[in-house]
Amino acid sequence: MNSRIKPWHKGLALTLPLMALLAGCNRGEKVEEPQTHAVATYASATWEALPAVSDEDLLAGFGAWRSACTRLKADATWGPTCAAAANVPQTAKAVRNFLKQNLDVFGLRSGDNSPNGLITGYYEPVYPGSLTQTAKANIPVYGVPDDMIIVSLDSIYPELKGKRLRGRLEGRVLKPYDDAAAIETKGVKAPVIAWLTDPMNLQFLQIQGSGRIRLDDGRQVRIGYADQNGHPYRPIGRWLVEQGELKKEDVTMGTISAWAKANPHRIPELLGSNPSYVFFNRNPDSNEGPRGSLNVPLTAGYSVAVDRKVIPLGSLLWLSTTRPDGSALNRPVAAQDTGGAIAGEVRADLFWGTGETAGQLAGDMKQQGQIWMLWPKGMALPQVPQVANAVTAAP
């Protein structure tokens, strides 16, 4: 999974200049500055506050985090800790001692100071398809469009670091790129990487951000996120709830798939409710997990996607939640990926692995949970964005 422009951040970027404009038209009346609060905060905690984990989970989570140290060795925050971690023996005692000596514990809190948040799951799907169009495999998986222009905004607005505009030139004017409904209807000027047999498989592939296509001869082609059309991600499950087709608490990948099979004539309407569209590239064949935003292979059960505005990529986290069956799930996990739906506050998406079993777990996971961030001693905590407080209208 990879990051996209989050709707709340885009709204803030538009709202603050508007506030300034209105303040300039007050005819001399005193205007109070808008009050803001952090979208998330970090509460100092003790090691004893962390839920107990098994030695097996401790070693696996630490190993998943350390696997990214090749990418973090030059990082100002994590580089020194990674260097020190290189020689830690793979024993639970040695790992616990290392963590306590080198890292401090901070509980993640939402804007209203709640420690609880949403923990979901994702996976690497395997779908039938073809490298050439056939009567059965006729749903294109597009690469990056030839005519899509990408503009980095931080060269002019440093506060928008990592944000990009995506569009198409019409004459000398940059217009928004087509939304998903337009792309589905009229296609796009892009290479076709492969062909799928089911439009819902393409939608789920875009949501997961990576996957494999199983060819008729048994070979599997790996594909991964390359770019996106610049439109905000809107969950298709939310549309089904708004239409009265599903109850909010019943929305899973399984119930969405079942609805689509029962209502094939409404699939274009369902898919069109999400204007976001993901483009892919073909990845090298490998038995490793898919690569996340940190460009390291994800570890099933121990890598998570996060909102990088709150949790920097490469961070070591302590997760406390439950599996879909209600059993406890407490373990250290590595922040190695991002995702368009993973935004704000106490939020994480746990990578479950590849194939149907992982897909069942990922599709059913919509649990409450808590997250602690293990942060290098002496390093400044991340600076999280500020958002405007709610304003109560005067009577």
Side-chain angles (χ1 to χ4, degrees):
M1 302 181 73
N2 289 265
S3 58
R4 307 179 183 112
I5 295 178
K6 309 298 189 295
W8 71 264
H9 192 274
K10 183 170 64 173
L12 178 63
L14 297 174
T15 301
L16 293 181
L18 179 59
M19 289 180 177
L21 178 61
L22 293 176
C25 301
N26 62 28
R27 293 185 174 87
E29 297 176 9
K30 183 179 179 181
V31 177
E32 295 185 1
E33 292 293 325
Q35 298 298 306
T36 63
H37 67 271
V39 70
T41 57
Y42 312 103
S44 180
T46 65
W47 279 95
E48 290 70 28
L50 297 178
V53 302
S54 69
D55 289 351
E56 180 183 0
D57 282 332
L58 177 69
L59 292 174
F62 180 74
W65 168 78
R66 191 163 61 172
S67 71
C69 278
T70 54
R71 303 287 301 178
L72 298 171
K73 59 185 177 181
D75 184 85
T77 298
W78 283 105
T81 306
C82 273
N87 298 317
V88 176
Q90 278 293 292
T91 68
K93 181 178 180 180
V95 169
R96 291 182 193 276
N97 288 338
F98 171 81
L99 296 179
K100 290 180 179 181
Q101 290 171 6
N102 291 274
L103 303 171
D104 288 326
V105 181
F106 294 91
L108 199 59
R109 297 289 186 269
S110 64
D112 61 2
N113 203 38
S114 171
N116 299 313
L118 177 64
I119 311 299
T120 52
Y122 71 114
Y123 76 115
E124 183 185 32
V126 181
Y127 294 130
S130 172
L131 296 180
T132 58
Q133 185 175 11
T134 67
K136 189 176 181 180
N138 55 15
I139 308 298
V141 179
Y142 288 117
V144 178
D146 301 329
D147 59 348
M148 189 169 73
I149 304 296
I150 302 172
V151 180
S152 296
L153 298 176
D154 55 5
S155 59
I156 301 176
Y157 304 103
E159 67 274 17
L160 297 181
K161 183 179 180 180
K163 301 303 178 185
R164 297 176 176 84
L165 286 176
R166 295 169 175 85
R168 176 193 293 109
L169 282 177
E170 293 185 8
R172 298 178 63 185
V173 178
L174 182 65
K175 297 291 185 72
Y177 207 78
D178 288 345
D179 63 12
I183 293 173
E184 293 285 358
T185 300
K186 63 183 184 181
V188 68
K189 295 179 180 179
V192 177
I193 294 176
W195 301 83
L196 297 176
T197 61
D198 187 332
M200 292 305 299
N201 289 350
L202 177 59
Q203 179 69 188
F204 290 138
L205 189 61
Q206 294 190 43
I207 292 171
Q208 301 304 319
S210 64
R212 305 186 189 200
I213 297 174
R214 186 177 62 249
L215 307 180
D216 287 343
D217 62 6
R219 289 185 299 138
Q220 293 185 1
V221 174
R222 302 191 75 169
I223 62 173
Y225 175 97
D227 218 314
Q228 187 255 3
N229 65 342
H231 289 265
Y233 169 78
R234 295 197 180 112
I236 56 176
R238 182 186 301 167
W239 181 85
L240 289 171
V241 172
E242 292 170 350
Q243 297 294 310
E245 299 293 331
L246 292 177
K247 294 181 180 179
K248 183 177 180 180
E249 60 271 20
D250 295 335
V251 174
T252 65
M253 284 180 58
T255 57
I256 293 173
S257 295
W259 183 92
K261 289 179 181 177
N263 300 273
H265 61 289
R266 297 192 67 188
I267 289 178
E269 187 181 1
L270 170 68
L271 300 182
S273 70
N274 175 22
S276 173
Y277 197 93
V278 172
F279 307 107
F280 292 91
N281 53 28
R282 183 168 175 176
N283 291 336
D285 294 337
S286 169
N287 291 324
E288 296 178 325
R291 290 178 178 266
S293 301
L294 200 56
N295 197 27
V296 296
L298 303 178
T299 303
Y302 298 94
S303 293
V304 293
V306 297
D307 184 345
R308 65 196 306 170
K309 297 187 303 298
V310 178
I311 300 172
L313 283 176
S315 296
L316 180 58
L317 310 176
W318 205 274
L319 176 65
S320 178
T321 185
T322 57
R323 293 177 176 83
D325 64 5
S327 60
L329 192 157
N330 300 316
R331 60 183 53 170
V333 293
Q336 296 174 336
D337 206 357
T338 56
I342 316 304
E345 305 189 342
V346 186
R347 186 73 174 90
D349 206 25
L350 181 63
F351 176 68
W352 279 107
T354 300
E356 292 184 10
T357 301
Q360 185 66 47
L361 284 166
D364 291 343
M365 191 161 183
K366 192 167 55 176
Q367 316 300 113
Q368 287 292 298
Q370 297 184 24
I371 300 171
W372 290 262
M373 187 164 65
L374 310 187
W375 196 249
K377 291 180 182 291
M379 294 294 179
L381 286 167
Q383 296 296 309
V384 298
Q386 298 282 319
V387 296
N389 292 340
V391 178
T392 303

